[in-house]
Amino acid sequence: MTALIQIRDLKVHFPISTGLFSGSKGAIRAVDGVSLDIPKGQTLGLVGESGCGKSTLGRAVVGLTRPTGGEILIDGEPLVRDRRVQMIFQDPSASLNPRMTIGASIAEPVRLNKLRRGRAAIEARKYELLDLVGLPRSAAHRFPHEFSGGQRQRVGIARALACEPEIIVCDEAVSALDVSIQAQIVALLEDLQARLGLTYLFIAHDLGALKHISHQVAVMYLGRVVEIAAKKDIFTNPRHAYSRALLSAIPVPDPAVEKQRQRILLKGDIPSPANPPSGCRFHTRCPVAIDRCRSEDPAWTKIARNHESACWRASELSDLM
Ligand SMILES: Nc1ncnc2c1ncn2[C@@H]1O[C@H](COP(=O)(O)OP(=O)(O)OP(=O)(O)O)[C@@H](O)[C@H]1O
Ligand SMILES: [Mg+2]
């Protein structure tokens, strides 16, 4: 079975121009050769530090950013900007007009995409969407500022659902919310996935945020995916030094275990995506790098079914750190 979303060697480079007449001086390689598959009805969690290219990848998947190279196939067809692929953002206010009622904001995409015709049908759909995201019908007559962050995110989700999407890119959709509210929004997204068969690309900068919702997890570093695995394998058997460092940063609820937790602190800053290091891009910060890592780009090592790591030391990592 082919995956609903197939990303093949995707590159998104932003030219650096240093002034009006000086022309281009190289490029920021925000996404630099990423391949991923997301099966229909599943969630791929995408994790990595700030600036590694997660949002750029997400924007390419919704067709907001044009790739420099590679391709994105949706259901086997090259991606075009399409209502079937929607995005939800960290700050839903940014996509809501403060002077429009919630009802009008939700009805707008229904009307623009001609998904219902006639006032009564659009009205009915508006209430159906409010029900779907767990907002009271009275919300329709109110304005965005009258709602809490979590409720506003529900409005953002309703607005995305109004387009009747098959795929939703959730870009740090819960990162700004309190932990208890995060859990509610994640539960809502999971419920919607089960009811509507949605496929998610779920972006976060820490692994903890992905633990509940993901089926697979891809770890990204400096424009590349460095490890991809079923969720269980990433949390119990990470095989890239960078994934191990990310995992070691998650607090453990059990105080006894938490006391024993060894954080792997990475030295140095993230290198510039305009001038990535040779060999493995992570070698400048990797605690277990060897000579080969500095000169040769790591090949994919297959660890298990659906588990691959781009690390020269993947197979011996358990003994090293
Ligand atoms: N439109 C743009 N023009 C130029 N550079 C860009 C543009 N968008 C992103 N970048 C650069 O591309 C790199 C990746 O950015 P991106 O926003 O995709 O990272 P991210 O992983 O989403 O980070 P964060 O966790 O902070 O959201 C960064 O160096 C960023 O400065
Ligand atoms: Mg981002």
Side-chain angles (χ1 to χ4, degrees), residues 42-45 186 190 207-219 227-238 247 305-307:
Q42 291 207 2
T43 301
L44 177 92
V186 165
E190 288 179 314
L207 264 173
L210 297 175
K211 192 157 189 174
H212 211 269
I213 197 164
S214 308
H215 297 91
Q216 293 182 84
V217 173
V219 178
E227 182 167 13
I228 180 150
K231 174 176 64 178
K232 178 174 78 46
D233 291 332
I234 278 286
F235 283 94
T236 58
N237 185 25
L247 189 67
R305 199 175 150 260
N306 299 327
H307 186 178

Side-chain angles (χ1 to χ4, degrees), residues 101-104 106 120 122-143 147 151 155:
T101 62
I102 300 300
I106 296 174
I122 293 172
E123 196 80 343
R125 178 63 177 155
K126 183 169 84 184
Y127 291 121
E128 206 174 274
L129 287 162
L130 286 171
D131 289 346
L132 258 180
V133 300
L135 285 171
R137 292 183 170 208
S138 58
H141 312 291
R142 308 174 74 153
F143 291 89
F147 292 90
Q151 286 171 321
V155 177

Side-chain angles (χ1 to χ4, degrees), residues 135-178:
L135 285 171
R137 292 183 170 208
S138 58
H141 312 291
R142 308 174 74 153
F143 291 89
H145 74 265
E146 298 177 59
F147 292 90
S148 67
Q151 286 171 321
R152 266 202 297 272
Q153 195 52 283
R154 286 176 195 265
V155 177
I157 296 169
R159 212 172 121 85
L161 291 177
C163 299
E164 297 178 26
E166 290 171 32
I167 296 163
I168 302 184
V169 174
C170 308
D171 190 359
E172 312 263 4
V174 300
S175 307
L177 304 170
D178 290 347

Side-chain angles (χ1 to χ4, degrees), residues 12 14-15 28-31 48-57 59 65 90 171-172 203-205 220 273-274:
V12 182
F14 298 108
I28 295 172
R29 303 194 221 167
V31 176
E49 282 163 295
S50 185
C52 70
K54 305 179 296 297
S55 295
T56 304
L57 179 65
R59 290 173 59 83
T65 299
Q90 175 165 354
D171 190 359
E172 312 263 4
I203 297 172
H205 54 254
M220 208 170 162

Side-chain angles (χ1 to χ4, degrees), residues 297-316:
D297 204 352
W300 284 103
T301 301
K302 195 172 173 66
I303 312 294
R305 199 175 150 260
N306 299 327
H307 186 178
E308 289 186 275
S309 164
C311 170
W312 285 127
R313 311 199 77 184
S315 50
E316 40 176 348

